[in-house]
Amino acid sequence: MSKKILVVNGPNLNMLGKRKAEHYGTLTLEDIEEMILGEAEKAGLKVVLMQSNHEGEIIDALHKSMHTCDGVIINAGAYTHTSYAIRDAIELIELPTLEVHLSNVGARESFRHKSVLAPVCIGQITGLKSYGYIAALYALKDIFEKGGI
Ligand code: DQA
């Protein structure tokens, strides 16, 4: 049976296309989600897509994924730097989780250098713009096939 991945996009990512192109590229979230769906099909993976500007909704989606998905890709937007609640949700679901950022957070303001999610994620893909989600898909596929990294 195909493995299923929850792809979470957090606050302000619904505004992609209107945000600074030098950081985030020019694609809208719909464009990126279409790309993810196409690539997942090629890779033989199923994906569930969600975006929310609300911390609690992201936590609810993570809880639900515990019984319905095999892995998670999350771009938590600015919650990456602040949300211990999302961090705890990722920890408790015990699914392989990859953190994605469109921009190169390490090359930006210092408040973006710290991720409170990083300690409970397998790894971080940052600065590859929309390709980061595709890289994350294939990394998870590999992890599913090999049973680890
Ligand atoms: C982001 C980086 C965050 O610092 C920022 O708050 C975002 C998007 C990224 O994808 O580069 O909203 O997660």
Side-chain angles (χ1 to χ4, degrees):
M1 219 178 51
S2 313
K3 297 286 189 184
K4 200 194 266 187
I5 298 171
L6 171 67
V7 181
V8 178
N9 278 288
N12 297 309
L13 292 162
N14 57 317
M15 300 304 278
L16 289 175
K18 296 192 173 65
R19 298 186 73 183
K20 285 193 172 168
E22 79 243 44
H23 295 311
Y24 303 114
T26 53
L27 298 182
T28 65
L29 183 61
E30 290 69 30
D31 295 333
I32 293 175
E33 288 186 335
E34 216 170 282
M35 219 171 88
I36 294 170
L37 286 172
E39 209 64 41
E41 196 176 339
K42 278 195 240 163
L45 296 165
K46 287 190 179 150
V47 288
V48 179
L49 302 166
M50 82 83 71
Q51 187 278 328
S52 177
N53 295 317
H54 305 279
E55 190 176 25
E57 283 181 8
I58 294 170
I59 293 164
D60 288 343
L62 288 166
H63 290 174
K64 192 169 166 205
S65 75
M66 194 174 180
H67 304 293
T68 55
C69 293
D70 304 288
V72 176
I73 295 170
I74 184 165
N75 181 349
Y79 283 144
T80 303
H81 317 299
T82 61
S83 179
Y84 296 115
I86 293 177
R87 181 219 181 273
D88 284 352
I90 294 171
E91 183 175 49
L92 78 88
I93 61 175
E94 292 187 339
L95 293 177
T97 299
L98 287 173
E99 184 186 332
V100 168
H101 299 287
L102 293 150
S103 65
N104 181 359
V105 285
R108 299 183 64 193
E109 303 94 321
S110 58
F111 76 86
R112 295 184 206 275
H113 298 175
K114 168 88 181 163
S115 165
V116 302
L117 311 184
V120 291
C121 291
I122 293 181
Q124 210 182 38
I125 299 170
T126 176
L128 302 187
K129 302 232 166 54
S130 56
Y131 182 72
Y133 295 93
I134 307 306
L137 266 186
Y138 281 98
L140 279 179
K141 180 178 159 74
D142 206 51
I143 288 164
F144 297 145
E145 286 169 1
K146 295 186 180 142
I149 200 88

